[in-house]
Amino acid sequence: MSESGVNNTLLKQQNRGLVLKLIATGECSSRIELSQKTGLAKMTVTYIVNEFLENGTLEEREKVQIEGKGRNPIQLCISSGAPKLLGINVYRERCTVILCDLRLNVLKKSAFSITKENAADLLPNIFEAVDKVLDSFPEENIYGIGIGAIGPVDILQGKILEPPNFYGLHDLELKKEIENRYSMPVFFDGESNCAAITEKYYGNGSDCRDFIYLDLANGVGAGLVVNGKLYANASGMICELGHTSIDWQGIPCGCGNRGCLERYISSNVIERQLRETAGEEKTFREFCLEMDEAVRRRETEGAGFTEREEKLHGVFCEMADKLACGLTSFANGLNPQKIIVGHEGYWIPKLYLRQAEIQVNRRRIARKYRNIGIVKSYFKSEATVFGCTGALLTAVFEGSLF
């Protein structure tokens, strides 16, 4: 229960944010739909919509009818002149800066690799990338800057703490540095949290209130949406699914623990195993696409796996079992409606995600009552790139920036 009341000004801001969110995410496109969805009086909805029309955030367009006669209905849309979103995604090997509209259409992208050689220049390189994007659209009105960063992070301080295998970088006060350079609001969160809330607003989490977003790449992260809200606690720390131990005497991890999930199923770990098995220097994604095609042939043409494919199949099956082991504990604790897999995990053939799904639902305690599906990210392998605006989007949709 909230410990503080809601004054009229805050309530008006929240209503504005809610109306904008429903239009931006495509849930509503008319005043009637907005009134029905929100429970707000028609007069209140009209007042908010008219305000957005006047300041150029919204516009009205005729919706072309394919069938039927009569006048085309008018729908509410995000205007091309509406304020934009700037996002910064900082991951282990790459930093990406994007400028996008409220429909998440990317207008400009700038990215650079993060390596051992240039890690010390991370902040200047971020400034250069942001400046490049802003210089391309000097006249645009921008709500603010969202940052989605590699964890562990301290959300309250806007700080990247000490990620394993991050070239010795630690205690980076990224939010403070960005705020000091740019005269606009800055919002910070872990990249998996950002991806999760963006899946909730626009993606494959929009149809449920409880889900786990699994970020599988060179490391394993997770964002949790619980009862329709991004899970957060008073510590400012985020969920670290990748450092759930599945073997207390297992492989040592850079975090100081043993048997951490990411030491067994990260894309770089599986890539190395697949290369050793195949004797070929392909990427994780290329091996995934190869096995996807092999699975398709087997299912549609009845063709069996080749000897090589059988060996690769064994690596993927073991990965799926270990993934299920890690997810089962979280599923028992959170009872999500679904699990969404993104980043490099998007490329895993559906056969193996289905195998993990079956194992999770066999092992979880409430298996008789509800099935938990495992699906791929709506944003394919770029959920964390689109999601870097997630913390900023939340501020907009909660009315904090009006």
Side-chain angles (χ1 to χ4, degrees), residues 153-324:
V153 300
D154 185 327
I155 298 171
L156 302 180
Q157 296 188 50
K159 181 190 291 188
I160 297 177
L161 299 178
E162 192 170 6
N165 307 313
F166 196 42
Y167 317 108
L169 296 175
H170 60 89
D171 298 305
L172 302 177
E173 295 186 326
L174 200 53
K175 181 176 184 289
K176 178 181 177 181
E177 295 288 352
I178 297 294
E179 282 177 334
N180 287 342
R181 183 175 175 92
Y182 302 99
S183 300
M184 58 182 80
V186 178
F187 300 86
F188 178 94
D189 208 330
E191 64 158 8
S192 298
N193 275 359
C194 291
I197 198 62
T198 308
E199 288 282 358
K200 173 61 183 169
Y201 293 145
Y202 298 92
N204 287 333
S206 61
D207 62 345
C208 59
R209 296 185 62 79
D210 301 281
F211 66 86
I212 299 171
Y213 168 79
L214 177 73
D215 188 81
L216 194 155
N218 185 2
V220 177
L224 314 177
V225 172
V226 179
N227 199 24
K229 300 288 185 179
L230 189 65
Y231 169 76
N233 60 34
S235 72
M237 306 299 180
I238 61 173
C239 171
E240 294 289 351
L241 174 61
H243 296 283
T244 299
S245 179
I246 61 172
D247 181 357
W248 67 279
Q249 291 182 315
I251 302 170
C253 180
C255 73
N257 199 0
R258 282 182 171 270
C260 290
L261 182 63
E262 70 173 41
R263 298 292 291 132
Y264 298 92
I265 68 164
S266 295
S267 59
N268 61 316
V269 172
I270 302 303
E271 179 182 85
R272 184 171 63 249
Q273 293 177 4
L274 292 167
R275 286 178 173 182
E276 291 171 356
T277 299
E280 201 172 339
E281 294 293 304
K282 285 187 173 183
T283 65
F284 174 77
R285 182 181 304 189
E286 288 170 335
F287 280 117
C288 287
L289 293 174
E290 177 184 343
M291 283 308 298
D292 219 9
E293 175 60 22
V295 170
R296 186 200 65 77
R297 282 200 317 271
R298 189 177 72 167
E299 292 178 349
T300 61
E301 302 172 15
F305 287 147
T306 65
E307 183 178 349
R308 166 195 163 90
E309 290 165 352
E310 282 288 357
K311 292 178 180 178
L312 298 179
H313 174 65
V315 174
F316 278 108
C317 284
E318 186 175 355
M319 175 192 186
D321 286 342
K322 287 183 167 63
L323 172 60

Side-chain angles (χ1 to χ4, degrees), residues 99 107-108 130-140:
L99 183 72
L107 307 175
K108 182 71 175 180
V130 171
D131 291 344
K132 182 178 179 181
V133 169
L134 291 176
D135 289 346
S136 299
F137 293 86
E139 303 301 321
E140 285 290 357

Side-chain angles (χ1 to χ4, degrees), residues 17-54:
L18 177 58
V19 166
L20 188 60
K21 175 190 140 186
L22 292 173
I23 295 171
T25 58
E27 289 188 62
C28 297
S29 62
S30 70
R31 292 169 177 80
I32 293 176
E33 288 176 343
L34 287 167
S35 181
Q36 292 172 341
K37 185 78 175 180
T38 63
L40 295 172
K42 292 180 182 178
M43 184 178 296
T44 302
V45 169
T46 296
Y47 177 82
I48 294 172
V49 167
N50 287 345
E51 191 176 61
F52 281 135
L53 289 170
E54 289 172 9

Side-chain angles (χ1 to χ4, degrees), residues 246 261 264-265 270 313-329 348 351-360 362-363 374:
I246 61 172
L261 182 63
Y264 298 92
I265 68 164
I270 302 303
H313 174 65
V315 174
F316 278 108
C317 284
E318 186 175 355
M319 175 192 186
D321 286 342
K322 287 183 167 63
L323 172 60
C325 182
L327 288 176
T328 299
S329 295
I348 299 172
L351 173 68
Y352 307 111
L353 293 182
R354 175 59 180 159
Q355 178 182 327
E357 178 184 308
I358 290 170
Q359 292 296 334
V360 168
R362 280 178 179 169
R363 296 171 182 173
I374 298 181

Side-chain angles (χ1 to χ4, degrees), residues 210 212 330-338 364-366 370 372:
D210 301 281
I212 299 171
F330 266 66
N332 278 330
L334 295 168
N335 291 300
Q337 293 167 275
K338 68 170 68 169
R364 54 189 292 269
I365 193 167
R370 182 160 57 86
I372 297 174

